[in-house]
Amino acid sequence: MTAPCPFCDVTVPWAELERHANSHFELEDEQQKQKQLATDRGLAQQIALAPSSPHSHSNNLVMDDMSCEPSCDDAVRGCGESHIDEKIACLIGLQIRSPFYQVETGLMALLKNCLELEAGNSISILSGYVDHFHSIESEDVGWGCGWRNIQMLSSHLLMRRQEAREVLFGGSGFVPDIASLQRWLEIAWERGFDALGSEHFNRKIYGSRNWIGATECAALFRSFGLRARIVDFGPKELESLCLSVPGSSLGAQVSKINDRGKRKVVQVYGPMDKYILGRHYDAPLAGSRGDENSRYSSMQLGNNLEGRSGDNVLNKCARKNKGSEVLVHWVWNYFSNESLSKSGHHRVAVSEKPPLYFQHDGHSRTVVGVQVKHQQNGTQQFSLFILDPAHRTAALKTSLKENDGWQKLIKRGVHTLKKPQYQLCYIDPGIASEGEMELLKRIDSIFLEF
């Protein structure tokens, strides 16, 4: 007695039908095993050939020059854009999502609740959404603050700007870890963004613990077509030593005449080194005045929160700006420049503006909002709301949930801004056109005098 096989229609004896049918699955399983083995072998080769990263997780997947295969980089070397496109394609598939302490309701929602309960006559403006990324002791404590602030800005852009979500990190929809961000920055440099500034790092940043600043932040975001801008704040006499643009006006090396009359070459690696160099070596560094168009470059103080431009809450002190008040008033105008969503008490407004990358010598943080409090004597007290990568997210959440002690962690008054220079990086709306992308490759800044 015979019967046809249900898979291949071959007629076989009835007693052999079950064994014959099962042989099809065995063959399919064997083929699948071979394919999986080949895939595993390829991944193992990538891991073995990848340069070691001092801060990568043991289970993080890293690459050798972002190659999908060990020979990928050699195969496309010298092929121009196709070489870069190959790297981007590989990085999109192999980048790692950064872990972070997720607050269920969001830190900004908790901060908004606390501000609504604050006593006194005040108005606060907050960025709508920001995840906090803190430095991890075993990975990046002491050097990773710049990368953590980039992650905070990215969390807002991915959540609140659809056009940014489509282009950032290959449309992955998540915030990559530091190692992946370093790879993206290297690709930005290779594509010509901040070409001179990249010389400070010898165009290599992956696996290093080099500090980065707002210039690198701007170059990274610009490489995705985002309109990242830089503003420098400082006294006129320090304009030539401003933190921004380590490469647009300054080469990778600066010569200094030493006591013996010989030239000493000082290597400059980034904005921090440039700042230190300017103070300790008194080198003649050329500053950047900048000519980029921005709505916030020479903005007049106004109170868009109340919808008036004449008798606003800031006009009384508009002519009395001194020192860091210039910076705080700029931040106020930045967050209040567009229509805002007010709370029921009209004391807290939510802005759709992204947070600000906030840089000074030695550290960087993220500005997520601003407050003006009207004192009984008629004066106004300004404060910034700042998320610091050095603070643990769990500690921030606890202090905000309990409404106890959060001011010491997040709120910073004008009197605390004691550095001689500050720098902000912000991101204008929209995606740059192809022609504009070429202009964005040259990083420049706008200088505002303290």
Side-chain angles (χ1 to χ4, degrees), residues 5 61 96 143 169 181 189 197 288 338 343 376-377 379 421 430:
C5 173
L61 186 59
I96 302 298
W143 61 269
F169 316 121
L181 290 176
W189 287 339
S288 169
E338 294 180 350
S343 70
Q376 291 183 350
N377 60 5
T379 62
Q421 290 177 286

Side-chain angles (χ1 to χ4, degrees), residues 317-376:
C317 57
R319 297 182 179 180
K320 299 180 181 180
N321 294 345
K322 294 181 180 179
S324 53
E325 288 183 0
V326 175
L327 185 154
V328 176
H329 290 162
W330 187 97
V331 173
W332 174 272
N333 278 288
Y334 169 80
F335 281 112
S336 65
N337 186 248
E338 294 180 350
S339 59
L340 304 168
S341 172
K342 301 178 187 177
S343 70
H345 301 283
H346 298 279
R347 297 182 53 185
V348 184
V350 176
S351 171
E352 286 304 310
K353 294 293 183 62
L356 298 164
Y357 186 110
F358 184 39
Q359 179 77 59
H360 57 79
D361 65 303
H363 194 38
S364 62
R365 294 168 287 174
T366 298
V367 178
V368 297
V370 62
Q371 180 186 75
V372 58
K373 181 172 288 188
H374 305 278
Q375 308 288 5
Q376 291 183 350

Side-chain angles (χ1 to χ4, degrees), residues 5-7 12 16-26:
C5 173
F7 302 103
V12 295
E16 298 292 322
L17 180 60
E18 183 177 357
R19 182 193 63 78
H20 176 83
N22 287 337
S23 67
H24 290 287
F25 293 102
E26 293 170 357

Side-chain angles (χ1 to χ4, degrees), residues 20 40 51 70 89 100 129 173 232 272 286 292 296 304 310 410 429:
H20 176 83
D40 293 344
F100 69 100
Y129 182 92
D232 280 289
M272 300 299 175
E292 296 184 72
Y296 316 110
N304 293 321
I410 297 176

Side-chain angles (χ1 to χ4, degrees), residues 86-386:
E86 188 75 21
K87 287 187 174 184
I88 292 174
C90 293
L91 182 52
I92 290 173
L94 297 176
Q95 62 186 336
I96 302 298
R97 182 193 297 266
S98 179
F100 69 100
Y101 187 101
Q102 191 165 6
V103 179
E104 185 175 349
T105 57
L107 276 181
M108 301 309 295
L110 294 178
L111 177 57
K112 180 174 176 288
N113 293 339
C114 290
L115 291 172
E116 290 174 347
L117 296 174
E118 256 193 335
N121 182 15
S122 66
I123 299 175
S124 302
I125 310 176
L126 299 177
S127 184
Y129 182 92
V130 187
D131 285 322
H132 181 254
F133 288 76
H134 62 239
S135 292
I136 300 174
E137 187 170 357
S138 61
E139 293 186 17
D140 63 292
V141 167
W143 61 269
C145 58
W147 300 108
R148 297 304 183 184
N149 292 308
I150 288 175
Q151 289 177 325
M152 290 192 224
L153 265 67
S154 298
S155 71
H156 173 94
L157 294 169
L158 292 170
M159 179 63 67
R160 291 301 178 94
R161 286 195 182 178
Q162 180 60 34
E163 75 277 13
R165 184 180 179 89
E166 292 174 358
V167 298
L168 270 177
F169 316 121
S172 65
F174 61 77
V175 178
D177 66 354
I178 291 179
S180 300
L181 290 176
Q182 289 177 327
R183 292 294 204 185
W184 281 116
L185 181 56
E186 287 185 350
I187 287 177
W189 287 339
E190 189 170 353
R191 294 175 60 196
F193 290 89
D194 194 25
L196 291 177
S198 68
E199 294 177 4
H200 297 297
F201 302 91
N202 295 320
R203 298 183 180 86
K204 295 292 182 182
I205 194 75
Y206 174 76
S208 75
R209 299 189 178 189
N210 289 336
W211 288 355
I212 63 166
T215 303
E216 288 69 45
C217 173
L220 178 63
F221 283 121
R222 285 184 176 202
S223 70
F224 296 106
L226 300 183
R227 299 182 174 110
R229 318 286 190 189
I230 293 178
V231 185
D232 280 289
F233 300 85
K236 184 68 175 178
E237 58 270 23
L238 293 182
E239 180 178 3
S240 63
L241 304 178
C242 63
L243 293 174
S244 67
V245 202
S248 64
S249 302
L250 179 67
Q253 295 179 335
V254 176
S255 296
K256 164 68 179 171
I257 305 295
N258 63 20
D259 295 337
R260 298 181 182 179
K262 296 182 179 180
R263 289 190 176 274
K264 178 181 179 182
V265 177
V266 181
Q267 189 72 27
V268 183
Y269 293 98
M272 300 299 175
D273 288 352
K274 180 178 179 181
Y275 181 85
I276 295 171
L277 178 71
R279 294 191 62 178
H280 293 285
Y281 289 94
D282 201 23
L285 307 185
S288 169
R289 295 181 180 273
D291 56 2
E292 296 184 72
N293 294 324
S294 170
R295 286 173 289 175
Y296 316 110
S297 59
S298 58
M299 181 180 297
Q300 297 297 314
L301 293 176
N303 184 14
N304 293 321
L305 187 63
E306 297 298 329
R308 295 172 295 175
S309 59
D311 54 339
N312 56 68
V313 297
L314 301 178
N315 276 348
K316 292 183 179 180
C317 57
R319 297 182 179 180
K320 299 180 181 180
N321 294 345
K322 294 181 180 179
S324 53
E325 288 183 0
V326 175
L327 185 154
V328 176
H329 290 162
W330 187 97
V331 173
W332 174 272
N333 278 288
Y334 169 80
F335 281 112
S336 65
N337 186 248
E338 294 180 350
S339 59
L340 304 168
S341 172
K342 301 178 187 177
S343 70
H345 301 283
H346 298 279
R347 297 182 53 185
V348 184
V350 176
S351 171
E352 286 304 310
K353 294 293 183 62
L356 298 164
Y357 186 110
F358 184 39
Q359 179 77 59
H360 57 79
D361 65 303
H363 194 38
S364 62
R365 294 168 287 174
T366 298
V367 178
V368 297
V370 62
Q371 180 186 75
V372 58
K373 181 172 288 188
H374 305 278
Q375 308 288 5
Q376 291 183 350
N377 60 5
T379 62
Q380 291 152 334
Q381 178 182 350
F382 286 87
S383 299
L384 298 179
F385 299 119
I386 296 176

Side-chain angles (χ1 to χ4, degrees), residues 32-92:
Q32 187 64 32
K33 288 178 183 178
Q34 292 300 322
K35 288 175 63 176
Q36 185 62 47
L37 183 61
T39 301
D40 293 344
R41 187 180 296 111
L43 294 177
Q45 287 177 318
Q46 292 176 48
I47 295 171
L49 291 172
S52 60
S53 170
H55 55 276
S56 62
H57 296 288
S58 59
N59 62 340
N60 277 6
L61 186 59
V62 292
M63 302 157 286
D64 181 16
D65 283 338
M66 276 91 64
S67 304
C68 291
E69 299 177 4
S71 59
C72 176
D73 193 55
D74 293 332
V76 298
R77 191 179 302 279
C79 294
E81 277 304 314
S82 62
H83 172 49
I84 298 176
D85 291 343
E86 188 75 21
K87 287 187 174 184
I88 292 174
C90 293
L91 182 52
I92 290 173

